[in-house]
Amino acid sequence: MDQNGPKAPDDEKTKDLIETLAKNVAKHGKVLEKKFKEKQGKNSNVSFLDEGKEFNDYYKHRVNIFLKF
C-alpha cells in the first residue's frame, strides 16, 4: 500500500470492500459507483462513498491508484 496516502480503515472487512469497489470503479467507471450507491441506499457500511465522510479520501485515493494500472 501507498504509505503516503490517506489512512486506511483498521477494519479488514471495510478495507476489503473499499479495495474491491475502487478496483472495479477504476475498471468500469463512475457509473458502477453510482449504481452500487443506489443499491446500498443508506447503508452505513458504504458511507465512505459520501464526500467528507470517514475513509472517502482513502477510497478516492485507491480509485486513482487503480486507474494507473
Side-chain angles (χ1 to χ4, degrees), residues 1-47:
M1 295 287 164
D2 184 355
Q3 294 178 336
N4 296 322
K7 183 182 179 326
D10 292 327
D11 175 53
E12 284 300 315
K13 187 175 178 182
T14 301
K15 186 176 178 182
D16 289 345
L17 176 60
I18 290 173
E19 292 292 318
T20 300
L21 185 58
K23 185 181 290 186
N24 284 303
V25 167
K27 184 176 181 180
H28 301 288
K30 287 284 195 176
V31 172
L32 179 78
E33 178 184 295
K34 184 179 178 190
K35 287 181 181 181
F36 182 81
K37 194 172 179 180
E38 286 171 358
K39 282 187 175 184
Q40 292 300 313
K42 298 288 184 187
N43 184 344
S44 64
N45 292 335
V46 297
S47 62

Side-chain angles (χ1 to χ4, degrees), residues 34-66:
K34 184 179 178 190
K35 287 181 181 181
F36 182 81
K37 194 172 179 180
E38 286 171 358
K39 282 187 175 184
Q40 292 300 313
K42 298 288 184 187
N43 184 344
S44 64
N45 292 335
V46 297
S47 62
F48 61 84
L49 291 173
D50 296 327
E51 191 68 36
K53 296 288 186 171
E54 187 174 31
F55 304 121
N56 179 257
D57 288 341
Y58 177 75
Y59 167 70
K60 290 189 292 188
H61 173 73
R62 296 306 295 160
V63 170
N64 287 328
I65 294 293
F66 288 122

